[in-house]
Amino acid sequence: MAAATPPPAAELARPVGTAGEVFLAFLRLGLTSFGGPVAHLGYFRDDLVKRRQWLTEDAYATLVALCQFLPGPASSQVGMAIGLMRAGLAGMAAAWIGFTLPSALLMLAVAYGITTTAGMAAGWLAGLKIAAVAIVADAVLGMARNLCPDRARRTIALIAAAAAASVPGAVGQIGVIAAGALAGLAFLTPDATPGRLPAHAPAGHLPGRNASIIALLVFAGLLVLLPLLAKATGNGGISLVDTLYRAGALVFGGGHVVLPLIEAELVHPGGLTRQTFLAGYGAAQAMPGPLFSFAAFVGAAMPGAPNGVTGGLIALVAAFLPSALLVYGALRFWTALAADRRVRSAMTGVNAAVVGLLGAAFWDPVVTSSISSGRSFALALLAYLALALWRVPAWAVVAGAALAGGLLL
């Protein structure tokens, strides 16, 4: 009997699996994926497309395009989408938990260490803040090169930076993003249309039309209701959920852009200190997995309840919930949405505005709260040199800056 002909590569995107196998695959990725969202997407491709053959190259590229289009942490959203396609809603949850768990536990430990030893370790905390200067500078310049390649988009970015610096706080930041969308719609030509999601790839595990619409309505409803509830009740837990949910819902461009949105809401007298906030942000760069796990640190380090492990878990879920709702709701409608030139023009403008928003945040609070002497400025320059020119891994730059801060500052 002749041997059976192997199926073509397109048929190897098997949509049926278990939540357990999804969890184990993403737990391994969560333990080993250093280097930020772009690096994460490379790890995903190597493991899930090339090695495990859970989906095809075309399907993977289309998921990446979708998640770059949506607000929120792109690599985590790609993981959620793959988990959804592989094992349904349970697989989506398993992918998120597996990928996020290692960095979230580490950030909870860092929060405990910083809040209990801040008075005894001012030098290494200063070093962590200086590491944040180098990392955010590298992120701003890298995003500017990729997202603002022409004069029109550079203009939008610079105007957005000026506006964000002049009108601080969440209202100003949301206004900058909205204005970027309008500017893109009016003046910018969108990039090429993303590819179509292959019909065979997600068979059986895409949510139905009604479930997708409900998820998108819940996303929008929480975005409106949570601020009203927080203001009406004055409850610390609801305020924390509102802040982290809005950050996760409005952030375009990756985890670095969450910095100004969270800082504007939670760093104030009676809240987080800037020293604690920036030290935690610096430490987050040394962790594997998603930078949005910084939310666990924020919730755990809050001076008032809910804080500790409970606050960390609440903040973590709140930060990632918008991404889950958007991925679940948008996956079925992605091809039609991405084909609309007006939508893509608006998103091109949003991306340029995000560069300006991050640039304003780089100056205040990152630089103003971290560079206080010639020695700290020199250390920041050396950290940037190592990161941007010598391509030293971010975790090594963070560790080196913390050590140098402990010895010199």
Side-chain angles (χ1 to χ4, degrees):
M1 181 180 295
T5 303
E11 298 299 321
L12 293 175
R14 297 172 296 156
V16 178
T18 67
E21 70 171 351
V22 170
F23 173 78
L24 291 176
F26 278 93
L27 180 63
R28 176 180 176 275
L29 289 165
L31 288 166
T32 58
S33 295
F34 290 90
V38 175
H40 299 166
L41 294 175
Y43 290 123
F44 287 4
R45 178 180 175 275
D46 287 343
D47 188 57
L48 305 176
V49 178
K50 296 176 67 177
R51 190 170 74 85
R52 298 180 190 269
Q53 298 183 333
W54 281 5
L55 69 169
T56 64
E57 291 277 8
D58 285 346
Y60 182 70
T62 303
L63 289 182
V64 170
L66 165 63
C67 296
Q68 295 287 353
F69 175 87
L70 297 174
S75 58
S76 293
Q77 289 171 322
V78 170
M80 291 178 189
I82 292 174
L84 179 63
M85 291 166 55
R86 181 71 182 169
L89 194 57
M92 183 180 184
W96 173 70
I97 293 171
F99 188 54
T100 309
L101 183 62
S103 56
L105 292 176
L106 289 169
M107 290 311 300
L108 288 174
V110 170
Y112 177 78
I114 285 178
T115 55
T116 56
T117 66
M120 300 180 289
W124 73 265
L125 289 176
L128 287 176
K129 293 196 294 179
I130 287 169
V133 172
I135 288 164
V136 176
D138 189 52
V140 171
L141 293 174
M143 290 176 67
R145 285 191 295 269
N146 293 329
L147 300 179
C148 302
D150 52 50
R151 184 167 58 183
R153 279 179 275 191
R154 289 175 196 144
T155 300
I156 292 172
L158 290 172
I159 293 174
S166 303
V167 186
V171 172
Q173 292 150 6
I174 294 170
V176 164
I177 291 173
L182 293 175
L185 192 61
F187 302 115
L188 299 181
T189 300
D191 297 328
T193 305
R196 188 176 290 272
L197 193 66
H200 66 271
H205 283 313
L206 278 182
R209 179 182 177 85
N210 290 341
S212 299
I213 292 173
I214 289 171
L216 295 175
L217 289 175
V218 171
F219 166 82
L222 289 174
L223 195 59
V224 173
L225 292 176
L226 284 173
L228 298 177
L229 283 174
K231 185 175 181 179
T233 63
N235 181 275
I238 296 177
S239 296
L240 182 65
V241 170
D242 169 43
T243 297
L244 272 300
Y245 184 87
R246 277 189 288 116
L250 298 174
V251 166
F252 291 87
H256 291 289
V257 189
V258 80
L259 175 71
L261 289 173
I262 297 179
E263 186 270 342
E265 297 282 338
L266 298 182
V267 176
H268 56 76
L272 289 174
T273 66
R274 282 191 170 181
Q275 174 172 309
T276 298
F277 180 80
L278 288 172
Y281 187 77
Q285 314 303 317
M287 306 299 170
L291 184 58
F292 261 53
S293 295
F294 176 57
F297 170 88
V298 168
M302 290 294 292
N307 53 16
V309 174
T310 300
L313 293 177
I314 289 173
L316 191 69
V317 172
F320 280 97
L321 180 59
S323 294
L325 291 170
L326 285 171
V327 169
Y328 191 81
L331 193 58
R332 177 170 289 277
F333 304 118
W334 168 234
T335 300
L337 189 66
D340 191 316
R341 287 178 56 86
R342 294 168 300 177
V343 172
R344 289 185 286 118
S345 292
M347 292 312 305
T348 302
V350 166
N351 286 335
V354 161
V355 173
L357 189 64
L358 188 54
F362 172 67
W363 171 249
D364 185 13
V366 176
V367 170
T368 58
S369 298
S370 304
I371 306 300
S372 57
S373 66
R375 189 171 289 182
S376 61
F377 179 65
L379 184 55
L381 287 178
L382 291 174
Y384 180 77
L385 174 69
L387 184 71
L389 297 182
W390 291 99
R391 300 303 176 190
V392 176
W395 63 267
V397 172
V398 170
L403 178 61
L407 295 173
L408 302 175
L409 301 179

